[in-house]
Amino acid sequence: MFPVRYALLSLVLLALVLPAAAAATSSEGYLNVDRVAITLDGADAQVRMEYNLAGGMRILVYLLGTRDLERKVKRVLNFEGARVEEIDTSHALVRVEDAAVDYGDGTYWFPEHRFGVTVPLVTVKTPQYTQAHRMSVEIPRGIGYYRV
């Protein structure tokens, strides 16, 4: 009877803590996003997402692999056709082909984009300049640029 009480108490505490963790605006489950850096090169994008993992999840990722972590990274970034090239417990590098519209004359349009969570710092680097957005769930209005 004694261990059952502790098990029930643990379940109640877990039920109280998990919704609070899910409510954090820069989190996707155990993944807490710190920043996203998008580098545009032609129509493609290289995306670097830096994050930290809640609790003992680092150990679980080491033991069980990165499959679930990759899924969460893709959900947060929300790019169609994103391909994870590198991932560990602190960052992921993602390649997005055709992230921008190619007008065929060396000019490109990166359309507005919405992330799966609020990102504390988003930077978008084109060959001409870099834009920064703080506490943003989206890149509004899109960005025009040309290849150098």
Side-chain angles (χ1 to χ4, degrees):
M1 184 71 172
F2 190 71
V4 173
R5 260 193 234 162
Y6 282 114
L8 288 174
L9 179 61
S10 296
L11 286 174
V12 169
L13 288 174
L14 195 58
L16 293 174
V17 169
L18 285 179
T25 59
S26 63
S27 297
E28 171 65 34
Y30 59 82
L31 178 72
N32 303 307
V33 179
D34 295 324
R35 65 179 47 114
V36 172
I38 302 169
T39 302
L40 298 169
D41 179 29
D44 298 340
Q46 182 77 33
V47 183
R48 179 181 177 92
M49 184 167 82
E50 295 180 17
Y51 48 80
N52 59 74
L53 305 180
M57 291 308 297
R58 294 185 101 168
I59 294 168
L60 286 177
V61 167
Y62 283 128
L63 293 174
L64 302 175
T66 60
R67 189 173 186 176
D68 186 60
L69 181 58
E70 285 184 29
R71 190 174 49 80
K72 288 186 182 311
V73 164
K74 287 180 177 181
R75 189 177 306 146
V76 165
L77 292 176
N78 193 32
F79 283 106
E80 180 110 8
R83 187 177 76 246
V84 176
E85 294 183 332
E86 180 182 312
I87 193 164
D88 65 21
T89 57
S90 65
H91 80 282
L93 290 176
V94 176
R95 183 82 174 161
V96 182
E97 294 181 7
D98 298 323
V101 176
D102 181 352
Y103 289 113
D105 58 357
T107 60
Y108 302 89
W109 178 255
F110 180 70
E112 70 180 46
H113 181 75
R114 188 163 187 83
F115 297 101
V117 299
T118 299
V119 181
L121 177 62
V122 178
T123 56
V124 182
K125 182 179 180 186
T126 72
Q128 288 73 45
Y129 58 90
T130 300
Q131 271 188 13
H133 304 272
R134 297 196 184 281
M135 297 309 292
S136 183
V137 73
E138 68 180 350
I139 299 168
R141 298 180 305 275
I143 300 166
Y145 60 99
Y146 56 93
R147 185 175 243 162
V148 179

